[in-house]
Amino acid sequence: MNGGLLVAGTTSDAGKSVVTAGICRWLVRRGVKVAPFKAQNMSLNSFVTREGAEIGRAQAMQAQACRTEPTALMNPVLLKPGGEQSSQVVLLGRPVGEMSARGYHGGRQHRLLGTVLDCLAELRGTYDAVICEGAGSPAEINLRRTDIVNMGLARRARLPVLVVGDIDRGGVFASFFGTVALLSQEDQELVAGFLVNKFRGDVSLLRPGLDMLHGLTGRRTYGVLPFRHGLGIDEEDGLRVSLRGTVRESAVAPPVGEDVLRVAVCAVPLMSNFTDVDALAAEPGVVVRFVDRPEELADADLVVVPGTRGTVRALEWLRERGLADALVRRAAEGRPVLGVCGGFQMLGERIEDEVESRAGAVDGLGLLPVRVRFAREKTLTRPSGQALGERVEGYEIHHGVATVDGGDPFLDGCRVGSVWGTHWHGSLESDGFRRAFLREVAAAAGRRFVPAPDTSFAALREEQLDRLGDLIEQHADTDALWRLIESGAPQGLPFIPPGAPA
């Protein structure tokens, strides 16, 4: 078998990533050897594979859903925004330079199509099926000419396309119809049908609309997935600062000790790998919030300064908002602060950056005896070691090279009092280390919080992936979906005018 499918969406955040993961988990439970694929990803949440390649975290999560090891083949092009109009281009896991949106879409993107097709062909030669994820919407008519991730990929690889729509946003029928109607006839021939995501209520009330949609487009709906809390794992594009106060979903179980532990995460610009705090949010009794005002740190037991694609810019933002002064006061009072990657760099004494911001020498917050120099070569590693008497694993993605001149060793960084800093992402997913760290935080914060003795982050992640597989198995027409993956789009699908503009 050499099956394939492209999961497209009516919009960004329609649920493509989790639907792709759900289909992958459903297939692997059927005994199918399956792999995920996303030709081009724009995300600040990334991961390092075992061979030292950087890919989107969503594809790493989807590989876990497939019970296979993630590789650079699964996400050959990763774009990491560095501002409103430019991104770092990561090709086959390695950065190849910064590029403006105009420059990328003006020709560079289309020249990468050969690489993308080669990667997909290699995966299809190794796996029984490859489930591809699109980006944004396939009906972005201004970008269709150079598209390599939606219909441009589907056309060249002859992939059937399933369009996902988020009904919780409203307007899903218009979105489905409009998506098809803005595609060329050749593209429309590959759009097999639709999948409704995040439905609340009685499905029978939706049926007449689905029947009318079929009558209008000649395309069926392959399933209606109900709304479920807690399935937004390893998001692609990151939280926006406008989502100040967003609470990361936590375990429902009550705290083991007498107190909860409150964690405030500074929602810095270009925040990257905010998924680092997912393991904290998974702990019973730990409440994680994203904040952008100094008064919101007052009742926090732990403040996390996360990674960012713009360390110097984020440092300026902390100062402008008054958060920098609040962090300095916390440190003086012995109240816990954790800096991860870019956050670690900001907590140091000095930053020399001629690479990312080209700002030259900039003073840090001075909370840790660390000096950082930005190198052109990016560090991409999967370190492991010991901290707080426990084994820890993580991954590193950074240009900053840190020189530590004091403090107590902490992973590759250091600790001074109740301020910790490290370049390691993902360290809190190590269960024993996370519990030991939270005990230290609780003691420093004066909280009678006790970590649960049996929380396994890996097991919780597996449960989430199984729940995604269950959604597909229970609420999609899996027989029809299997035929689509195995045999391609149905023949004779009607053309819906007006089609793509000339």
Side-chain angles (χ1 to χ4, degrees):
M1 177 185 174
N2 186 10
L5 175 70
L6 175 67
V7 179
T10 56
T11 62
S12 294
D13 202 32
K16 297 183 293 291
S17 294
V18 292
V19 167
T20 299
I23 293 173
C24 287
R25 178 49 61 101
W26 160 65
L27 285 172
V28 81
R29 294 195 305 206
R30 286 187 54 156
V32 178
K33 188 179 180 184
V34 59
F37 181 78
K38 184 158 186 173
Q40 172 193 292
N41 198 345
M42 178 172 279
S43 179
L44 288 172
N45 283 338
S46 58
F47 181 77
V48 179
T49 67
R50 292 203 182 279
E51 70 267 29
E54 185 180 7
I55 65 171
R57 276 207 58 112
Q59 280 60 67
M61 175 268 290
Q62 291 161 357
Q64 186 176 347
C66 296
R67 299 188 178 128
T68 192
E69 189 67 31
T71 73
L73 293 174
M74 297 172 183
N75 178 206
V77 181
L78 174 64
L79 305 178
K80 303 192 72 175
E84 293 296 325
Q85 297 186 21
S86 67
S87 294
Q88 183 180 66
V89 181
V90 179
L91 180 62
L92 293 175
R94 294 287 173 181
V96 294
E98 296 278 337
M99 187 165 288
S100 69
R102 180 181 293 274
Y104 183 70
H105 290 289
R108 176 63 184 270
Q109 180 186 36
H110 192 65
R111 290 196 294 272
L112 295 175
L113 180 60
T115 300
V116 163
L117 292 171
D118 288 345
C119 291
L120 178 57
E122 188 169 342
L123 288 174
R124 296 183 85 172
T126 305
Y127 291 87
D128 299 328
V130 179
I131 308 303
C132 307
E133 180 189 342
S137 162
E140 291 168 348
I141 53 179
N142 56 315
L143 302 177
R144 175 62 184 89
R145 183 177 61 84
T146 57
D147 171 51
I148 65 172
V149 64
N150 290 307
M151 301 312 301
L153 176 69
R155 284 267 292 276
R156 292 294 295 268
R158 304 308 302 169
L159 293 168
V161 178
L162 183 69
V163 180
V164 178
D166 179 357
I167 197 169
D168 199 47
R169 293 183 173 193
V172 74
F173 292 116
S175 298
F176 281 145
F177 182 86
T179 295
V180 178
L182 281 176
L183 301 178
S184 69
Q185 182 168 345
E186 294 80 5
D187 286 350
Q188 287 191 27
E189 289 171 357
L190 294 172
V191 178
F194 313 107
L195 186 76
V196 177
N197 191 28
K198 299 183 184 178
F199 179 72
R200 306 172 191 251
D202 185 347
V203 177
S204 66
L205 299 176
L206 191 64
R207 293 294 177 199
L210 300 179
D211 292 340
M212 286 185 274
L213 182 66
H214 184 272
L216 287 166
T217 67
R219 289 159 175 84
R220 59 167 298 167
T221 298
Y222 283 77
V224 178
L225 306 185
F227 187 96
R228 292 286 185 268
H229 286 285
L231 294 181
I233 50 180
D234 288 10
E235 289 97 333
E236 197 168 271
D237 298 321
L239 291 177
R240 294 160 181 82
V241 174
S242 61
L243 294 181
R244 181 185 59 77
T246 293
V247 177
R248 206 80 176 131
E249 290 199 52
S250 305
V252 176
V256 175
E258 297 179 43
D259 289 343
V260 298
L261 209 62
R262 296 173 177 84
V263 179
V265 184
C266 296
V268 297
L270 299 175
M271 181 166 50
S272 62
N273 286 62
F274 66 81
T275 47
D276 283 334
V277 301
D278 282 354
L280 293 178
E283 282 285 345
V286 176
V287 179
V288 179
R289 299 177 69 244
F290 291 86
V291 304
D292 65 358
R293 296 191 301 214
E295 57 268 26
E296 294 175 301
L297 305 188
D299 66 345
D301 303 306
L302 169 66
V303 174
V304 178
V305 187
T308 172
R309 251 281 279 156
T311 300
V312 170
R313 175 180 169 186
L315 185 56
E316 292 172 351
W317 181 86
L318 289 176
R319 289 183 165 126
E320 290 167 358
R321 295 275 176 143
L323 287 160
D325 290 339
L327 288 169
V328 171
R329 287 195 299 271
R330 283 188 68 90
E333 294 165 0
R335 303 177 66 198
V337 176
L338 170 65
V340 180
C341 199
F344 166 45
Q345 296 166 6
M346 287 183 267
L347 298 183
E349 296 171 346
R350 195 169 180 81
I351 298 169
E352 295 179 16
D353 181 12
E354 299 292 350
V355 176
E356 192 175 76
S357 68
R358 297 181 176 87
V362 177
D363 288 336
L365 298 184
L367 304 184
L368 293 173
V370 175
R371 288 171 293 157
V372 176
R373 177 185 55 81
F374 274 67
R376 297 198 176 277
E377 191 72 20
K378 182 184 282 191
T379 297
L380 297 167
T381 63
R382 290 273 292 269
S384 61
Q386 296 274 333
L388 304 180
E390 300 285 348
R391 181 163 178 78
V392 191
E393 294 182 350
Y395 56 98
E396 294 185 49
I397 305 170
H398 55 90
H399 285 279
V401 178
T403 301
V404 180
D405 295 321
D408 298 320
F410 178 70
L411 303 178
D412 70 330
C414 66
R415 170 187 182 178
V416 174
S418 292
V419 180
W420 295 265
T422 177
H423 272 134
W424 290 22
H425 294 290
S427 63
L428 294 166
E429 295 178 19
S430 298
D431 297 326
F433 167 72
R434 182 180 64 256
R435 286 192 278 269
F437 177 71
L438 289 176
R439 283 192 289 269
E440 294 255 352
V441 168
R447 293 286 184 185
R448 289 172 292 184
F449 169 85
V450 179
D454 55 356
T455 301
S456 167
F457 184 75
L460 290 172
R461 174 56 54 86
E462 278 296 303
E463 288 174 13
Q464 283 186 308
L465 293 172
D466 276 331
R467 289 172 66 197
L468 292 176
D470 292 344
L471 280 178
I472 298 298
E473 194 167 321
Q474 296 167 11
H475 300 282
D477 186 339
T478 51
D479 289 338
L481 198 56
W482 176 253
R483 288 193 298 272
L484 193 61
I485 294 168
E486 191 175 34
S487 304
Q491 297 296 307
L493 292 170
F495 170 71
I496 308 302

